[in-house]
Amino acid sequence: MAGRRTYGSYNDGCAAAHALDVVGDRWTMIVVRELLLGPKRFTQLQRDVIGIGPSVLTQRLHELEQHGVLVREHLPAPADVDVYALTAWGQRLEAVNTALSQWAVGSPTLPWDADMSPDTLVLAMSAHARPGPRTAVVELRLTDSRRDGAAPVTYRGVVGPDGTRVGRGTSSDVTPDATIDATTRALKAVVIGGADLDATPGVRVTGDAEAVRALLDATTLRR
């Protein structure tokens, strides 16, 4: 079966048109989104991108590799697995993902009640992040509401006057001021839906509650 013609084949030299040739197919930016916070195995991508079939995922990964957006790497023992990781150029799509997120919140048909993967929720928090009045470190342990029996994924949020950032993983150098244990549905209700933290089931806070409020105040979507 013949492949889709590119915009360039129609004598369109626009860089934005070329960008759509690279990442404009269905599922492509969703796969990229799930790699923005770090490499993942094929099975992890299948797990996190609900609805994509293995053959389509294989095709999208192959196309992104051909375009230089990602590379396949082998992690040595004890992991001994292949993972997909964004190149430095591919990582610059985080700014595109952020811009799309900020633009789309104005859509009258945005599915506000739909669930999100843990990485997607964290990226949404980062997309709308603002500086905070105090410096605080908060660990987030998020459980994917879309899947029964999902294991929590750990993230770390740092808020302060110089800016706010939420990313995957932990750091042994800094003890967090507080910890949030939550399902993605529950935390989304707070940071995107505007629900009251104290009245939302599925969210548990330990440690400095004011540190948590500082992070959430700096990452809650303002509509």
Side-chain angles (χ1 to χ4, degrees):
M1 183 173 61
R4 177 178 64 84
R5 286 189 63 180
T6 65
Y7 292 112
S9 70
Y10 292 104
N11 198 30
D12 189 335
C14 171
H18 178 68
L20 291 174
D21 281 334
V22 175
V23 297
D25 278 344
R26 178 173 169 82
W27 297 115
T28 302
M29 270 301 295
I30 305 303
V31 172
V32 169
R33 181 196 70 194
E34 292 298 332
L35 293 173
L36 286 172
L37 295 181
K40 290 183 178 179
R41 302 193 304 274
F42 186 92
T43 53
Q44 290 174 314
L45 287 168
Q46 267 195 301
R47 175 200 68 194
D48 293 337
V49 184
I50 291 178
I52 193 170
S55 61
V56 175
L57 178 56
T58 297
Q59 182 180 358
R60 293 296 178 265
L61 290 169
H62 177 68
E63 291 165 350
L64 288 167
E65 190 172 14
Q66 281 190 316
H67 284 296
V69 177
L70 60 76
V71 293
R72 184 168 57 178
E73 301 175 339
H74 183 77
L75 299 182
D80 195 28
V81 294
D82 288 336
V83 296
Y84 294 90
L86 295 177
T87 61
W89 182 55
Q91 192 66 45
R92 290 170 63 185
L93 284 166
E94 182 172 1
V96 177
N97 185 74
T98 296
L100 286 171
S101 177
Q102 293 172 339
W103 174 74
V105 295
S107 169
T109 57
L110 183 66
W112 291 103
D113 294 333
D115 284 329
M116 303 171 81
S117 73
D119 274 15
T120 305
L121 179 55
V122 165
L123 286 167
M125 294 172 70
S126 294
H128 303 283
R130 304 167 293 277
R134 57 163 290 188
T135 299
V137 178
V138 178
E139 186 170 282
L140 298 91
R141 295 198 284 257
L142 303 182
T143 303
D144 195 335
S145 300
R146 305 170 304 166
R147 297 185 295 110
D148 292 334
V153 185
T154 302
Y155 304 87
R156 177 153 294 204
V158 179
V159 58
D162 295 330
T164 300
R165 180 71 179 177
V166 190
R168 195 191 299 168
T170 60
S171 172
S172 58
D173 298 333
V174 180
T175 301
D177 299 296
T179 300
I180 302 173
D181 288 277
T183 64
T184 50
R185 178 182 287 267
L187 192 61
K188 180 189 175 185
V190 174
V191 300
I192 295 180
D196 181 6
L197 174 66
D198 296 328
T200 302
V203 181
R204 182 168 60 89
V205 172
T206 54
D208 185 352
E210 290 305 312
V212 170
R213 293 203 174 276
L215 176 66
L216 295 181
D217 285 347
T219 55
T220 296
L221 174 63
R222 292 177 178 170
R223 287 190 269 171

